[in-house]
Amino acid sequence: MPTVPRVPRAIALLLLAVVAALSCARRAGGPAPSNDLLIVGYDREPDTLNRFSTHILEDIQTNVIEGLTTTDEHMNIIPLLATEVPTLENGGVRMRPDGGMDVTWKIRPGVSWHDGTPFTSADVKFTVEAINDPNYNPESTDGFDRIESVDTPDPLTAVVHYREVYAPYALQFFRGTFPKHVLEGRDIDTANDYNRSPLGTGPYRVAEWKSGEYIRLERADNYWRGPEFPHIKQLLFRFISNTNTRINQLKSGEVHLVAMFPWDKHREVEAVAGVQVHRTPGNAYEHVTLNQRAVPAFRDVRVRHALMHAIDRELIVKTILDGLAPVTNGPIQPVSWAFTNDTVKYAFDPARAKALLAEAGWADGKLSFTLITQAGFAVRETVAQVLQRQFRDVGVDMKIELHDGTTISSVWFEGKFHAMLHWWQMPADPELTLFFAADRMPPRGRNINYVEDGPLTDLVYAADRTVDRTERTRLLVLAQQRIAELLPELPLYGITKLDAIPAGLRGFKGNPTNVGVFWNVHEWEIP
């Protein structure tokens, strides 16, 4: 048997000292990440924890409230509280002779709300009726307003009757459901006991919300997956709106995880001891929304084309974004099965921009508007300044107005802005109706460009009304081409998701879609 050489005592002590120093450097600002506590640096405070009311990505809520389905790291729609995803093949989806569609959801047995009340089909039925109730003001009614009724033949079966074919049905309940026994007969908009501390079936429950500072989640008792889940006892979400502050607290160990940190910070974060950078090609895109209702000039396609020609997107990507966020030309990204690159493109061409503005009657600096974006998001603020300069070069006066991440959500929902620099985190199903159909302006959807185009509306609805993948792809390609021609918004770049996680964290998989990185949080473990 070979002899293992001994390490001299002095060298061994030196190595131990180095390891200890590195460990202390990471943990000086707070406790180390462990199965007892994981601290998340979060970029904004939620407006509400009600998943159907919020205008903000639902990372925190995902840990508490589970859907019938979710989306995995490969953008596959998989069952969660349902035993399977209904399809034509397994008999869960049935086309009716009258043009409608029935979807049968089989609910997983043995699931209870956090208060011990069984989760049943009655909660599914109540949720549909609550969202369609005109007395409630959800973030969107899309999909739900196509449901005519829900039958509950038994506690573990919900049959959803659509008045028309609705292809994205598999994600209808990915946000979860309302607990009927808590909210029945109440005004959900003002039910603050639920909206600030919602009852769920997920691996965590809300333990504390200290306004302006943090939300603390603790492991739920009797979670349906088994007593060993989740592995981490507490999640603490600290609200840190400033990018630099979040990264500095990551360095000091005051926070352990920062999801979707900006691209200009990736080299800095990669150098932090004890931190690993996880990269995921995102199903999301950064763009400038042009509010046609607030700014009449935006209704002229020549103006929209001129603004697009004025932007040097390649420069933005190569300099500010360090090549990590590729130029994009529309809302559907290459990670989606419906993506097409066969659309009209707009090259950086200031001369063409000036000519189009003059043709539209906006020469000599007459066009002026204000762009809003998120304060404390350093990359976004820098991109806004570049846009301001490039628009000025073609004679357009664009002012910049910054809002904190919570406030800006209500501003866009109410349409109280001219233009907005932001991203949409898109679902696994490439439904475009929510964003571009003429009848999907808030509160029915997210058409905050306020674009009204009959052919585009017809295309996106037609795509919704077929479950045949080949035909649906054809229609979505046509819709993407129409969007590129109309240019209701200015697409800038696709999103590469960069997540900073503890190097010892096991089970983290990331996610390209709007379900966020916490979709499988029950699997996370820090040995």
Side-chain angles (χ1 to χ4, degrees), residues 456-515:
L456 177 56
T457 298
D458 291 344
L459 278 171
V460 294
Y461 269 110
D464 284 358
R465 290 167 178 154
T466 177
V467 294
D468 179 80
R469 175 65 65 88
T470 301
E471 175 61 9
R472 193 164 180 233
T473 300
R474 185 186 72 83
L475 291 166
L476 286 168
V477 166
L478 291 174
Q480 289 171 82
Q481 292 170 340
R482 182 65 179 167
I483 290 167
E485 293 166 4
L486 289 174
L487 210 66
E489 59 192 15
L490 309 178
L492 299 178
Y493 42 87
I495 306 301
T496 300
K497 294 187 176 185
L498 301 178
D499 303 311
I501 64 175
L505 179 63
R506 295 179 181 173
F508 185 92
K509 297 177 180 176
N511 200 291
T513 75
N514 62 340
V515 304

Side-chain angles (χ1 to χ4, degrees), residues 172-248:
Q172 183 73 77
F173 298 97
F174 90 95
R175 279 194 165 103
T177 57
F178 287 133
K180 178 182 178 181
H181 67 288
V182 171
L183 293 174
E184 187 174 27
R186 300 181 62 188
D187 180 352
I188 296 175
D189 287 318
T190 60
N192 289 332
D193 56 329
Y194 176 84
N195 294 332
R196 287 187 64 86
S197 183
L199 196 67
T201 65
Y204 293 92
R205 56 178 292 276
V206 179
E208 183 183 10
W209 183 347
K210 190 169 184 179
S211 295
E213 295 188 33
Y214 60 80
I215 286 176
R216 181 170 59 86
L217 306 181
E218 63 182 16
R219 183 164 56 188
D221 295 330
N222 303 315
Y223 181 45
W224 60 269
R225 290 183 189 271
E228 69 273 28
F229 296 110
H231 302 298
I232 299 173
K233 294 178 182 177
Q234 293 189 89
L235 301 177
L236 183 71
F237 288 81
R238 284 185 179 163
F239 312 138
I240 309 169
S241 60
N242 185 274
T243 301
N244 292 326
T245 305
R246 281 200 309 282
I247 300 306
N248 287 335

Side-chain angles (χ1 to χ4, degrees), residues 258-514:
V258 175
M260 290 191 66
F261 68 86
W263 308 277
D264 65 331
K265 298 293 183 183
H266 85 283
R267 296 175 190 269
E268 185 178 348
V269 173
E270 282 182 335
V272 178
V275 170
Q276 175 186 346
V277 174
H278 190 282
R279 300 189 186 192
T280 306
N283 194 36
Y285 70 112
E286 186 89 358
H287 60 284
V288 176
T289 286
L290 301 174
N291 187 340
Q292 295 185 28
R293 179 175 290 179
V295 182
F298 292 159
R299 299 171 197 165
D300 190 328
V301 70
R302 295 170 297 183
V303 171
R304 303 195 299 270
H305 286 185
L307 293 175
M308 191 77 258
H309 280 301
I311 303 172
D312 189 345
R313 294 179 292 172
E314 293 288 352
L315 176 67
I316 292 172
V317 165
K318 290 176 182 177
T319 56
I320 301 172
L321 309 179
D322 204 9
L324 288 167
V327 168
T328 191
N329 295 293
I332 296 181
Q333 302 310 301
V335 291
S336 173
W337 54 262
F339 171 77
T340 181
N341 195 40
D342 184 19
T343 61
V344 62
K345 310 295 192 301
Y346 297 87
F348 174 54
D349 189 344
R352 178 64 177 152
K354 290 178 180 179
L356 285 167
L357 287 168
E359 184 181 322
W362 294 102
D364 303 323
K366 295 178 183 177
L367 179 57
S368 176
F369 64 91
T370 298
L371 177 90
I372 65 170
T373 197
Q374 184 178 341
F377 197 139
V379 164
R380 203 165 268 165
E381 291 183 20
T382 303
V383 170
Q385 292 165 6
V386 171
L387 294 177
Q388 183 182 52
R389 184 169 62 251
Q390 292 179 347
F391 288 154
R392 186 185 301 126
D393 289 343
V394 298
V396 174
D397 176 29
M398 186 194 83
K399 299 176 178 62
I400 300 171
E401 192 176 279
L402 302 177
H403 294 262
D404 68 78
T406 304
T407 303
I408 202 169
S409 65
S410 60
V411 171
W412 74 250
F413 186 72
E414 296 171 8
K416 296 179 178 178
F417 68 96
H418 294 165
M420 179 167 65
L421 174 64
H422 67 123
W423 60 39
W424 285 138
Q425 299 274 352
M426 304 294 275
D429 188 282
E431 180 190 3
L432 295 176
T433 312
L434 180 67
F435 303 93
F436 298 103
D439 62 346
R440 290 294 165 184
M441 300 167 188
R444 295 194 70 213
R446 291 188 172 190
N447 179 0
I448 55 172
N449 294 296
Y450 294 92
V451 58
E452 296 184 65
D453 182 72
L456 177 56
T457 298
D458 291 344
L459 278 171
V460 294
Y461 269 110
D464 284 358
R465 290 167 178 154
T466 177
V467 294
D468 179 80
R469 175 65 65 88
T470 301
E471 175 61 9
R472 193 164 180 233
T473 300
R474 185 186 72 83
L475 291 166
L476 286 168
V477 166
L478 291 174
Q480 289 171 82
Q481 292 170 340
R482 182 65 179 167
I483 290 167
E485 293 166 4
L486 289 174
L487 210 66
E489 59 192 15
L490 309 178
L492 299 178
Y493 42 87
I495 306 301
T496 300
K497 294 187 176 185
L498 301 178
D499 303 311
I501 64 175
L505 179 63
R506 295 179 181 173
F508 185 92
K509 297 177 180 176
N511 200 291
T513 75
N514 62 340

Side-chain angles (χ1 to χ4, degrees), residues 116-135:
T117 303
F119 169 69
T120 72
S121 57
D123 298 305
V124 177
K125 178 180 175 68
F126 172 76
T127 300
V128 172
E129 293 172 348
I131 290 173
N132 286 331
D133 187 333
N135 293 317

